[in-house]
């Protein structure tokens, strides 16, 4: 089951109209969509999820609350034991001043907090980060299992090696973000 919470229903409608191959998941019977504020949704769904993925906009204006400790506390309470949160983590080349305080503050809540990144040519600096935090389990740095060969053959990007490498940070970022 996948539960999607989107604050703006027009995002879904425009995605279906202009990005139909990316939006086809909305039509899957296993998907439930809620159009509402994500912070409110978290508050209303305690101990409900194994994984929470937040793909928010940048941490300015109305979306800034999605980059603050109270929202991470709400997500923590919405996770089941053993759960994982993965959020948009900004760019290590441009936003260390935003990333480090958030990682530091949520490290007091979650059992494990890590920062990983990937390259996305259309993003500023060609890179975007992810903050991964866990409840009642260890780090996400090592994949729990590899995709079966038939699945891996169809994947365009993911490999277990790339998964591990995503957590290997340049020295400046590791020192600043992880305090090492």
């Amino acid at each position: 089951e996948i539960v999607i919470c989107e604050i703006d229903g027009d995002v879904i409608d425009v995605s279906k109209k202009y990005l139909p191959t990316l939006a086809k998941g909305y039509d899957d019977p296993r998907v439930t969509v809620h159009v509402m504020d994500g912070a409110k949704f978290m508050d209303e769904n305690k101990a409900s999820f194994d994984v929470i993925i937040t793909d928010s906009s940048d941490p300015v204006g109305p979306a800034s609350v999605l980059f603050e400790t109270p929202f991470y506390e709400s997500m923590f309470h919405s996770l089941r034991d053993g759960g994982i949160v993965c959020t948009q983590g900004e760019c290590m080349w441009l936003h260390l001043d935003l990333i480090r305080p958030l990682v530091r503050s949520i490290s007091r809540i979650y059992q494990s907090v890590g920062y990983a990144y990937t390259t996305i040519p259309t993003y500023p600096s060609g890179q975007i980060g992810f903050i991964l935090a866990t409840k009642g389990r260890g780090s996400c740095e090592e994949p729990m299992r590899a995709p079966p060969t038939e699945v891996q053959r169809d994947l365009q990007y993911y490999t277990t090696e790339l998964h591990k490498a995503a957590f290997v940070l340049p020295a400046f970022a590791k020192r600043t973000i992880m305090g090492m």
Side-chain angles (χ1 to χ4, degrees):
E1 175 187 20
I2 296 173
V3 178
I4 297 173
C5 181
E6 169 59 54
I7 197 166
D8 185 350
D10 288 342
V11 169
I12 297 167
D13 295 339
V14 169
S15 295
K16 287 179 177 181
K17 182 174 181 178
Y18 295 105
L19 304 166
T21 57
L22 296 176
K24 66 182 176 184
Y26 289 114
D27 298 325
D28 190 304
R30 298 168 293 179
V31 174
T32 303
V33 178
H34 299 270
V35 178
M36 64 184 292
D37 179 82
K40 186 174 189 290
F41 183 77
M42 289 293 106
D43 287 338
E44 293 176 1
N45 289 278
K46 304 294 185 202
S48 298
F49 303 106
D50 297 314
V51 177
I52 298 171
I53 301 170
T54 302
D55 185 14
S56 61
S57 58
D58 291 332
V60 292
S64 64
V65 298
L66 303 178
F67 289 83
E68 295 173 0
T69 305
F71 183 62
Y72 280 80
E73 288 172 341
S74 292
M75 287 191 292
F76 181 85
H77 295 300
S78 293
L79 283 176
R80 294 183 184 111
D81 194 44
I84 301 168
V85 164
C86 178
T87 66
Q88 193 264 82
E90 288 299 320
C91 175
M92 71 177 136
W93 298 100
L94 303 173
H95 301 111
L96 288 174
D97 59 323
L98 299 171
I99 300 165
R100 177 60 190 145
L102 181 57
V103 167
R104 185 180 299 132
S105 74
I106 67 171
S107 291
R108 295 183 205 116
I109 304 166
Y110 292 87
Q111 279 67 43
S112 171
V113 177
Y115 184 86
Y117 70 98
T118 192
T119 55
I120 304 284
T122 57
Y123 278 42
S125 289
Q127 181 266 320
I128 192 68
F130 310 100
I131 295 172
L132 290 108
T134 65
K135 179 179 182 176
R137 58 163 283 168
S139 163
C140 293
E141 292 183 20
E142 290 284 328
M144 296 198 63
R145 64 185 171 279
T149 304
E150 61 277 5
V151 171
Q152 185 65 61
R153 206 177 357 254
D154 292 334
L155 297 177
Q156 299 297 310
Y157 191 82
Y158 181 85
T159 65
T160 56
E161 295 84 7
L162 189 62
H163 178 118
K164 294 176 202 174
F167 289 89
V168 178
L169 304 178
F172 78 92
K174 185 176 182 178
R175 280 192 299 270
T176 304
I177 295 170
M178 305 313 295
M180 300 175 161

